[in-house]
Amino acid sequence: MQTASDLFSAAGALMAALHAHADLPAPRITSEQVVADERDASGNLVLTWGLAFGFHRDTALSDFEQWRQALGADPAAVDHASTGTHAWLIVDTAYAGVPLTLTGHYTLAQPDPDEDE
């Protein structure tokens, strides 16, 4: 059975990140179980509590980049994906030993139909 105490590491990392970077834009924060890069004695993948910081405003890409730099996430590890007009940048890193995912959501610019004429 899982208890609230299972979240202590993630909560501590969250508080440490917010305290260390209090001047950065406020992210949307969630905590969820993620697969750790380890296995238990039976060979099963270990689940651990991680953090996700999401950015959804007009400044999402700038906010994402500020946090990416502050957390030291490798720029070469940033992935880009899109569906329709919705796109996002995403990178996985860790803070205080806790897995942390940054995601910056944005809308792709639509071509101006009048420019084709």
Side-chain angles (χ1 to χ4, degrees):
M1 176 177 107
Q2 294 182 345
T3 64
S5 68
D6 295 330
L7 291 166
F8 284 173
S9 291
L14 172 61
M15 293 307 297
L18 295 178
H19 181 68
H21 307 290
D23 58 328
L24 292 183
R28 177 176 177 237
I29 301 165
T30 57
S31 182
E32 55 193 33
Q33 282 190 303
V34 295
V35 175
D37 290 331
E38 60 186 85
R39 294 186 180 269
D40 64 17
S42 301
N44 298 317
L45 288 171
V46 174
L47 293 177
T48 189
W49 284 96
L51 298 168
F53 286 9
F55 305 96
H56 301 268
R57 301 173 295 275
D58 293 341
T59 59
L61 295 181
S62 171
D63 297 351
F64 170 91
E65 181 58 16
Q66 289 177 66
W67 274 100
R68 188 205 59 76
Q69 288 180 17
L71 298 176
D74 183 358
V78 175
D79 287 325
H80 176 266
S82 65
T83 179
T85 61
H86 180 84
W88 57 96
L89 297 178
I90 189 166
V91 66
D92 292 317
T93 188
Y95 192 82
V98 171
L100 193 150
T101 299
L102 297 175
T103 308
H105 300 269
Y106 64 100
T107 302
L108 293 171
Q110 292 299 305
D112 186 349
D114 294 335
E115 288 184 12
D116 292 337
E117 295 178 10

